[in-house]
Structures are given as structure tokens and as C-alpha cells.
């Protein structure tokens, strides 16, 4: 659904702090911190909330593409893949 590395990379690309992602995903900063440090795996619903917030900001998570696992980012105002 989303890996800790994808979460870290997405935040870095968006220049979001943990506080930013916490506010946009409605997931606690502590939960995000533990997920990104790979000390805990959140519930599926929580992972979906994180993914939704990142996708709404223009990040697309890749799992099986030619480049492997990673992220893609749309240019502002352009849909991903367009």
C-alpha cells in the first residue's frame, strides 16, 4: 500500500515536515515517525490515509513499474501520467 521509504521520499519531494503530513493525513505525528523509522506498521486504514494525502498532493506511488518501487510526482497543475 505504501512503504516507509516511499513516505520519506514523498515528504522530501513535497518539502513536508512530519507535522505537515500529520495535518493533511489526520494521522498522528508519532504514528508517522514510527512508520518511517520502520519500528511499527500502522493499520491498513491509517496507511490508506497517508497514501491519500500524498496522492492528493501529486505523488504517485510505484510498486511494479519499470523503475521498480518508488514515487512519481506530477508537475503542478498536471495529472500524473498526462
Amino acid at each position: 500500500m505504501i512503504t516507509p521509504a516511499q513516505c520519506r521520499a514523498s515528504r522530501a519531494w513535497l518539502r513536508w515536515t512530519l507535522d505537515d503530513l500529520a495535518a493533511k493525513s489526520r494521522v498522528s505525528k508519532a504514528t508517522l515517525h514510527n512508520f518511517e523509522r520502520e519500528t511499527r506498521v500502522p493499520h491498513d486504514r491509517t496507511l490508506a490515509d497517508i497514501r491519500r494525502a500524498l496522492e492528493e498532493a501529486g505523488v504517485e506511488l510505484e510498486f511494479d513499474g519499470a523503475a521498480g518501487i518508488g514515487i512519481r510526482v506530477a508537475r503542478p497543475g498536471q495529472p500524473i501520467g498526462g
Side-chain angles (χ1 to χ4, degrees):
M1 177 167 286
I2 182 172
T3 69
Q6 286 172 316
C7 189
R8 291 189 302 267
S10 297
R11 277 197 318 104
W13 186 267
L14 295 168
R15 296 182 180 164
W16 283 3
T17 64
L18 280 175
D19 288 323
D20 294 329
L21 181 54
K24 293 174 189 311
S25 65
R26 296 187 182 122
V27 173
S28 77
K29 183 177 174 179
T31 297
L32 293 168
H33 179 74
N34 290 332
F35 173 57
E36 288 190 356
R37 290 186 61 213
E38 301 183 36
T39 58
R40 268 203 156 159
V41 177
H43 295 287
D44 288 345
R45 181 172 156 220
T46 302
L47 292 172
D49 290 340
I50 296 167
R51 183 174 182 164
R52 176 196 42 78
L54 296 171
E55 288 178 342
E56 286 177 357
V59 173
E60 181 178 336
L61 304 173
E62 294 284 327
F63 294 96
D64 253 342
I69 295 174
I71 67 169
R72 290 188 330 157
V73 182
R75 290 189 179 117
Q78 278 190 311
I80 293 175

